[in-house]
Every structure is written in structure tokens, then in C-alpha cells.
Amino acid sequence: MIDKKTLIEKAQATIDYNNSLIEDDAAVAMLGISRIVNLKNEIEELKVFIKVLNRLI
């Protein structure tokens, strides 16, 4: 079973990766607007996920 710390680390790594794509102009041009919006939504969902996990015992 995966522990809470590992889940948080993986979620944070995904957030960091998505942010790096969003901040890279070439990646934005290649991915398109709809994919960038999806990445931003995923970032927000992962932030909520991390907050929920941090509140668990």
C-alpha cells in the first residue's frame, strides 16, 4: 500500500512538471490552449488532493 507521504510527493512532482510545461512557451505552442487549461485544472485538483491528504491522520 502506498503511504500518504509518497502520494503527496508524487502529486507535488506532477504539479511541478505541469507548471514547467505551462511556463515553457514552446510547450504551450505545441500543446495548444485546451491542453494548457486541462493542465491548470489538474494542478488545482492535485493541490486540493494534497490538502485533503494532509488533514488525514
Side-chain angles (χ1 to χ4, degrees):
M1 181 173 185
I2 299 176
D3 64 351
K4 180 174 91 170
K5 181 180 176 185
T6 303
L7 286 173
I8 290 172
E9 288 171 356
K10 288 184 180 210
Q12 188 59 51
T14 302
I15 289 171
D16 294 341
Y17 177 74
N18 287 354
N19 276 330
S20 71
L21 286 177
I22 291 169
E23 293 169 1
D24 182 355
D25 291 338
V28 169
M30 289 174 33
L31 292 172
I33 300 300
S34 63
R35 180 70 178 126
I36 297 303
V37 170
N38 289 340
L39 288 173
K40 288 182 179 184
N41 288 339
E42 183 180 15
I43 289 169
E44 292 306 314
E45 290 170 2
L46 287 170
K47 286 179 180 179
V48 170
F49 177 72
I50 290 172
K51 284 181 184 178
V52 170
L53 280 179
N54 280 328
R55 290 185 182 166
L56 294 176
I57 295 175

